[in-house]
Amino acid sequence: MVRTTRLRSLAAAGVLFAVFVLGACGGGDDAGDADLSDLALRGKQLAADTGCTACHGSDGGGGVGPGWVGLAGSTVTLEDGSQVTADDAYLRRAITDPQAEIVEGYSVKMPEYPNLTDEELDALVAYMTELG
C-alpha cells in the first residue's frame, strides 16, 4: 500500500513537472503568432506552403538561406561587397529575382518565384518585416 502511494505521488509529480516545463517552453513555431498581423500570418503560411521555410527556417531564423529575423531595414552585404538596405523593394526583388543580388556567404541558388501575386508578395514582406 505504501509503495503504491509513493508510485502515485511520483507519477503525479512527474506529470506536474512535465506540464510546467512544456508550458514554460511555449507553443513552438506558433508561440509568436499573436504578435503578427493577419497579412503577416498569411505570409507565414505562404512561406511554409511554397517551401521557403526549408532554407530560411520555420521561424525565419535562417539555415541554408539568410535569416529573416531582423532582416527588414537592415544593411545587407552582397557577394560583390556592395551593401543594400533590406527595404520592401529589396525584399520583393529578392523573392522574385533572387540571383540579382546574392547575399554574401550564401551561394545556394534560390528558386525564383516570379508568379507570386502582389498580394502574396505583400504578405511575405509583411511576415519578414514583423519578425523584427
Side-chain angles (χ1 to χ4, degrees):
M1 176 74 173
V2 172
R3 184 170 187 202
T4 303
T5 303
R6 272 194 199 151
L7 287 176
R8 285 185 186 159
S9 295
L10 286 173
V15 169
L16 287 173
F17 178 76
V19 168
F20 174 75
V21 169
L22 292 175
C25 290
D29 289 335
D30 297 332
D33 284 0
D35 297 331
L36 298 176
S37 68
D38 288 343
L39 184 61
L41 285 171
R42 287 196 300 274
K44 180 179 181 178
Q45 185 62 52
L46 183 61
D49 292 347
T50 57
C52 302
T53 57
C55 294
H56 296 284
S58 63
D59 61 356
V64 175
W68 292 345
V69 176
L71 174 62
S74 71
T75 300
V76 177
T77 302
L78 304 176
E79 72 176 355
D80 67 1
S82 64
Q83 294 186 327
V84 296
T85 300
D87 58 11
D88 288 1
Y90 167 82
L91 295 173
R92 292 174 75 91
R93 190 170 53 254
I95 295 166
T96 59
D97 188 11
Q99 300 312 305
E101 297 173 310
I102 299 172
V103 176
E104 183 178 62
Y106 293 95
S107 60
V108 174
K109 184 176 181 180
M110 180 178 141
E112 295 181 18
Y113 294 97
N115 297 324
L116 292 172
T117 66
D118 284 338
E119 292 81 17
E120 290 170 326
L121 285 169
D122 289 344
L124 285 169
V125 169
Y127 177 51
M128 287 184 232
T129 301
E130 291 183 29
L131 282 173

